[in-house]
Amino acid sequence: MTTTAEPTTHEIGNARTRKEDARLITGRTRYTDSITPSGTLHLAVVRSPLAHATITNIDTEAARSAPGVFGVYTAADLGAEAIGLPCAWPITPDQKAPQRPLLAVNTVHFAGEGVAVVVARTAAEARDAVELVEIDYDLLDPVLDMEAAAADGANLVHPDLGTNVSATWVFDSAEAGTGNSVADAIAAAEADPDQVVVKRRFRQQRLIPAFMEPRSVVVDPTGEQITMWSSTQVPHILRTMTTVTTGIPESKLRVIAPDVGGGFGGKIGVVPEEMLCVLVAQKLGKPVKWTETRSESLLAAHHGRDQIQDITITAKKDGTVTGLDVHLLADMGAYLGLVGPGVPILGAFMFNSIYKFPAYRFTCRNVFTTKTLTDAYRGAGRPEATFAVERIMDELADELGRDPLELREQNWISHEEFPFTTVCGLTYDTGNYEAATAKATELFDYAGLRREQEERRRNNDPVQLGIGISTFTEMCGLAPSRVLGSLSYGAGGWEAASIRMLATGKVEVITGTSGHGQGHETAFSQIVADQLGVPFEDVEVLHGDTQISPKGLDTYGSRSLVVGGIAIVKAAEKVVAKARKLAAHLLEASEDDIEFSNGVFSVKGTDKGKAIQELAFAAFMAHDYPEDMEPSLDSDAVFDPENFSFPHGTHLAAMEVDTETGRVKLRHYVCVDDVGTVVNPLIVEGQVHGGLAQGIAQALFEEANYDEQGTLVNGTFVDYTLPSAADLPSFTTGVSSNPATSNPLGVKGVGEAGTIASTPAIMNGVIDALRHLGVNEVEMPATPQRVWRAIQEAQGRSTQETPIDTHSPGAGLGSIDPNNPQGEVQ
């Protein structure tokens, strides 16, 4: 293949400020809710207040008569009884998958499920009329506990399925031929006094993606095509799934994702409200808009995580690990999301992480409950896996009396061993865990903090210091298609790109990925500027519209750069190949004698040359070009990688824990990440910071809580605690770069790394501060009350009274309030 010469514009590696930020931060953009075609009607959803109940009657008369109301519709009114939302990831052939209706038909299965919709002239009138719809229910027992739900004889969420277990998925290294038998490793360790077995149970609490912009959709049926605007991460997948769901020909449907205010996986689904807007718009022949309230978002948009992890690790007493056994229960909620069943399976390949386990077994049961469904949330399976293996490595270190960092290093894949095929069959192409760790420990002052920790313990200081460690890797760039096919994933993993060389010398780049805050337009402009030798400012990146970008598989799984970016590189290579041919013709030289550098094609050994912009204009004019060439430099490419990419890093957290009040403070955080070639350091640092905030939030702040009846009790930002900038320190970040060999740029991906690594670092730090007091587990989030109770229980003291921290500056921040049962930071 013809490839470009080494670029000399040097945009890659340049800390460019983001192109897209000017319109975003000044409000000169349009989000979906800003779009209101002429004659738009507004839709609101009547939602069940109950988690599990039979619908006995729906009375819509009062709502129909309300001011501004055009109609009130149930599933029967819309002919939607037979329409179910798709699940694109059947992880086993016998997976139990109930139809997820657009509106409940006879039974509601979670609090927040839609039962009817109201359509009115304004959004306020629609919401007011929702209150007038009267629904009679017969209450059914909710199903809330995963273990109880999976047990024989359990109350069933979907009685017609005969079970609450949707699927059981197993990977066994002995059966797969990638390693030894875990059963043998456990039996040998239990029988051998020179080996140890450590078992722990960890809980991944339920989280809410909490994106900045609420979900919104507008459907306009009045043109030759139906046009849908949606705040989505997946416009191409949404178009295909809308066709599958409603029967609208794909060619008659245009989907646009305008600027999207964050997603974190929370906008990866195809949701009932999108399909309801399509049906109602078709029925009325008018544009229809729905924008959720924040409470609706927290209640009914999909949640993330929610797993019980039973982990067994075996090792020799010299510290060498011999086996890892993982048993998961994963809460799917009431229905299966678009890719929800596969989220734990992505984690299956990461529990072994960076360690040389000779035996590994993973067993997962996906379970239905009467809660909001779960699906992808930043990291999607890999944070759960990293948390478990990094926590169990700390527990093993404690069992053996070893420094946890030294124990990790003993069991790492060393840098000389790359490429390395793991016990689950993945091949890691590059990495250097030693270098990242050496840099991180130096920035962190690991030895000095260990000395301080010992001093505080000797002095019985009420505020103890803990050091949290997370050495991680992840598989990202969701692809390749063949691997996804082997896992029964319902789509490919390729990505498409086009490059248009305009007559005026400017460049349009069309990508099938769809940005929602990551900096695509900036990073892709830098790549193209280097590949084609054109000014950064002359590159325009277009995306998020299936009319403009007809091919694509969108944005999730840290795939935008490592898959979408490489498709752009491949398209650029084709542009250069065409331009070289045209340059040779115009310069009356052989193609072999044409050199390309800094945007100029020249004849070797002469000063004769043509800039790529000149060639674009020549192709446009088409007055003189080779007979076997089309008069265009425009090029398309589709890239399907051979392998995942494997970023890695070392994250260290210094945690201070007040043993009298349970208050936790993150004092210092250092991370050194290997994300391969860095296209834009500013964007990378921003992605890392954002990821750290979300991972730290899981450890210390966030949890979706349900009461005994299955009602979400913290469904507002008053109750669902998110960290602010004041709750987090300044992070110290660094890079240890080992370019990937799986793509020509050497990039690895960074969007989820911070979230994946930070949660176990924080929790290991909290427990490290308290381990000498007998504490070896605190359930997340590690609120002051939970930490305090863990200390009391470990010391054999009563937990009936809860302390109030009145002596600290700003008392109440992290203090204990008996009326705040979870002990959230207020």
Side-chain angles (χ1 to χ4, degrees):
M1 174 183 289
T2 302
T3 58
T4 60
E6 182 179 351
T8 57
T9 51
H10 300 303
E11 280 293 340
I12 290 179
N14 188 6
R16 283 274 190 183
T17 55
R18 303 197 321 176
K19 282 186 172 185
E20 48 270 70
D21 283 355
R23 70 174 187 273
L24 295 174
I25 65 178
T26 60
R28 295 176 181 174
T29 188
R30 293 205 303 169
Y31 297 101
T32 301
D33 191 49
S34 306
I35 296 165
T36 308
S38 177
T40 295
L41 301 177
H42 296 263
L43 182 145
V45 182
V46 182
R47 300 189 183 276
S48 169
L50 305 175
H52 202 196
T54 301
I55 302 168
T56 59
N57 185 58
I58 303 175
D59 185 349
T60 63
E61 283 304 311
R64 292 178 192 276
S65 303
V69 171
F70 274 68
V72 182
Y73 306 106
T74 64
D77 297 324
L78 295 174
E81 303 101 322
I83 297 177
L85 290 173
C87 171
W89 204 335
I91 61 171
T92 64
D94 61 349
Q95 174 176 282
K96 301 287 192 297
Q99 176 173 288
R100 183 188 177 192
L102 305 186
L103 293 170
V105 179
N106 298 311
T107 305
V108 293
H109 294 96
F110 68 95
E113 184 170 12
V115 180
V117 295
V118 176
V119 184
R121 185 173 48 244
T122 68
E125 288 171 329
R127 286 194 293 267
D128 287 345
V130 160
E131 303 297 325
L132 301 176
V133 177
E134 296 183 5
I135 305 175
D136 297 327
Y137 299 98
D138 282 346
L139 193 63
L140 300 171
D141 291 333
V143 180
L144 303 173
D145 181 87
M146 272 187 278
E147 285 188 290
D152 292 338
N155 182 34
L156 298 180
V157 179
H158 303 284
D160 56 310
L161 299 181
T163 179
N164 288 324
V165 178
S166 173
T168 300
W169 193 91
V170 179
F171 177 87
D172 190 306
S173 60
E175 294 180 3
T178 57
N180 301 331
S181 165
V182 165
D184 289 350
I186 293 173
E190 289 175 338
D192 186 350
D194 290 326
Q195 296 191 56
V196 296
V197 179
V198 178
K199 298 182 179 182
R200 292 289 186 270
R201 167 168 284 197
F202 304 126
R203 176 65 189 258
Q204 287 281 320
Q205 77 270 38
R206 180 174 279 249
L207 302 174
I208 299 175
F211 30 72
M212 186 177 293
E213 177 208 12
R215 296 176 301 158
S216 182
V217 60
V218 177
V219 175
D220 185 351
T222 60
E224 291 296 318
Q225 291 179 306
I226 293 175
T227 301
M228 177 193 292
W229 294 265
S230 183
S231 179
T232 180
Q233 297 174 222
V234 289
H236 296 88
I237 291 172
L238 175 56
R239 182 173 71 160
T240 300
M241 291 303 180
T242 301
T243 290
V244 170
T245 302
T246 66
I248 298 169
E250 199 166 359
S251 61
K252 294 294 184 182
L253 179 63
R254 178 184 185 183
V255 175
I256 302 170
D259 280 323
V260 174
F264 311 123
K267 293 176 181 175
I268 200 175
V270 177
V271 298
E273 295 84 1
E274 288 164 332
M275 300 304 105
L276 289 167
C277 284
V278 170
L279 294 182
V280 173
Q282 285 183 305
K283 187 178 186 70
L284 298 179
K286 293 178 178 291
V288 173
K289 176 193 285 190
W290 168 79
T291 300
E292 68 184 353
T293 65
R294 181 60 67 183
S295 293
E296 277 186 297
S297 180
L298 272 64
L299 177 68
H302 81 244
H303 295 170
R305 312 282 194 261
D306 209 352
Q307 294 181 2
I308 295 172
Q309 305 172 314
D310 288 305
I311 312 296
T312 301
I313 192 170
T314 59
K316 299 176 182 178
K317 285 194 174 177
D318 70 358
T320 304
V321 295
T322 59
L324 183 68
D325 196 17
V326 176
H327 287 264
L328 294 189
L329 278 178
D331 191 343
M332 298 289 100
Y335 301 104
L336 298 180
L338 187 65
V339 297
V343 167
I345 308 312
L346 285 176
F349 299 96
M350 286 287 102
F351 275 88
N352 54 285
S353 189
I354 66 175
Y355 307 111
K356 293 183 285 188
F357 285 103
Y360 170 58
R361 181 173 60 196
F362 171 93
T363 305
C364 177
R365 287 188 294 167
N366 288 345
V367 180
F368 293 117
T369 62
T370 53
K371 298 179 185 176
T372 302
L373 63 88
T374 59
D375 210 315
Y377 174 59
R378 196 171 189 169
R382 289 100 76 206
E384 297 93 313
T386 300
F387 180 85
V389 71
E390 288 303 289
R391 283 287 297 112
I392 202 69
M393 289 300 288
D394 260 33
E395 296 304 302
L396 177 61
D398 177 60
E399 177 74 19
L400 298 175
R402 295 283 302 279
D403 179 278
L405 195 55
E406 290 180 359
L407 180 69
R408 285 168 167 82
E409 187 171 6
Q410 178 180 338
N411 289 285
W412 285 340
I413 304 159
S414 66
H415 69 275
E416 297 94 346
E417 295 176 282
F418 287 95
F420 184 90
T421 300
T422 72
V423 72
C424 64
L426 294 181
T427 299
Y428 299 170
D429 58 340
T430 65
N432 191 327
Y433 310 137
E434 303 96 313
T437 302
K439 187 172 182 178
T441 53
E442 180 182 357
L443 292 169
F444 189 68
D445 187 19
Y446 183 83
L449 286 168
R450 283 293 184 201
R451 289 192 295 270
E452 181 184 342
Q453 180 184 54
E454 288 302 315
E455 183 178 355
R456 289 197 189 200
R457 289 182 178 180
R458 283 195 304 271
N459 296 336
N460 199 26
D461 194 317
V463 178
Q464 288 292 307
L465 176 66
I467 296 173
I469 300 167
S470 177
T471 53
F472 84 105
T473 191
E474 61 148 326
M475 50 187 279
C476 73
L478 195 58
S481 298
R482 292 182 184 87
V483 174
L484 295 177
S486 72
L487 296 173
S488 301
Y489 183 70
W494 53 265
E495 194 48 77
S498 300
I499 294 179
R500 300 173 186 158
M501 298 297 300
L502 304 182
T504 55
K506 309 299 184 183
V507 182
E508 287 182 342
V509 179
I510 299 92
T511 173
T513 68
S514 181
H516 43 279
Q518 300 92 330
H520 288 187
E521 295 173 32
T522 303
F524 291 163
S525 293
Q526 290 179 266
I527 290 170
V528 171
D530 272 5
Q531 292 292 315
L532 300 183
V534 298
F536 169 82
E537 295 78 9
D538 286 354
V539 182
E540 187 79 17
V541 178
L542 307 175
H543 59 88
D545 183 340
T546 61
Q547 197 92 314
I548 295 171
S549 172
K551 287 184 179 180
L553 286 173
D554 306 316
T555 299
Y556 41 85
S558 297
R559 68 188 305 274
S560 293
L561 179 59
V562 297
V563 187
I566 305 308
I568 291 171
V569 170
K570 297 295 183 183
E573 289 175 350
K574 291 182 178 181
V575 169
V576 171
K578 288 183 178 181
R580 186 188 304 275
K581 188 179 189 69
L582 180 57
H585 175 77
L586 294 177
L587 295 171
E588 298 179 337
S590 166
E591 279 189 61
D592 293 338
D593 291 331
I594 298 296
E595 296 179 321
F596 178 58
S597 178
N598 202 25
V600 175
F601 293 86
S602 58
V603 180
K604 292 179 183 177
T606 74
D607 58 359
K608 295 170 59 179
K610 294 280 187 182
I612 195 168
Q613 294 92 335
E614 293 180 85
L615 295 170
F617 185 73
F620 168 74
M621 293 296 290
H623 292 167
D624 185 11
Y625 62 95
E627 292 183 1
D628 59 346
M629 177 183 175
E630 297 176 350
S632 172
L633 302 185
D634 297 352
S635 296
D636 304 328
V638 175
F639 177 65
D640 194 356
E642 295 287 326
N643 196 4
F644 299 98
S645 69
F646 300 97
H648 71 82
T650 297
H651 288 226
L652 303 171
M655 308 299 298
E656 292 184 333
V657 182
D658 190 324
T659 60
E660 295 177 348
T661 67
R663 182 178 179 181
V664 174
K665 177 185 177 182
L666 171 55
R667 174 174 134 186
H668 187 36
Y669 197 99
V670 167
C671 61
V672 175
D673 289 294
D674 175 6
V675 298
T677 300
V678 174
V679 173
N680 185 315
L682 197 61
I683 290 177
V684 167
E685 188 170 17
Q687 287 286 310
V688 170
H689 281 210
L692 293 179
Q694 285 188 277
I696 293 166
Q698 176 173 5
L700 300 180
F701 293 89
E702 294 187 43
E703 182 174 21
N705 291 309
Y706 286 83
D707 65 16
E708 295 177 346
Q709 298 304 314
T711 302
L712 183 69
V713 297
N714 55 339
T716 73
F717 281 163
V718 173
D719 310 296
Y720 186 84
T721 47
L722 297 170
S724 70
D727 297 307
L728 301 172
S730 295
F731 304 122
T732 301
T733 63
V735 172
S736 175
S737 182
N738 294 272
T741 60
S742 56
N743 64 76
L745 286 184
V747 294
K748 292 184 176 180
V750 69
E752 296 165 297
T755 300
I756 291 168
S758 57
T759 308
I762 297 297
M763 292 307 299
N764 278 338
V766 170
I767 293 161
D768 186 57
L770 303 174
R771 197 179 290 280
H772 67 293
L773 301 178
V775 175
N776 67 10
E777 183 57 26
V778 177
E779 192 169 291
M780 294 188 292
T783 59
Q785 188 176 74
R786 284 180 173 168
V787 172
W788 182 82
R789 287 185 180 278
I791 296 169
Q792 305 313 304
E793 290 168 2
Q795 297 294 300
R797 295 196 289 261
S798 169
T799 59
Q800 294 303 307
E801 296 183 8
T802 54
I804 303 295
D805 178 11
T806 58
H807 62 272
S808 65
L813 179 62
S815 62
I816 307 301
D817 180 355
N819 296 317
N820 179 10
Q822 195 198 335
E824 283 93 350
V825 176
Q826 298 296 309

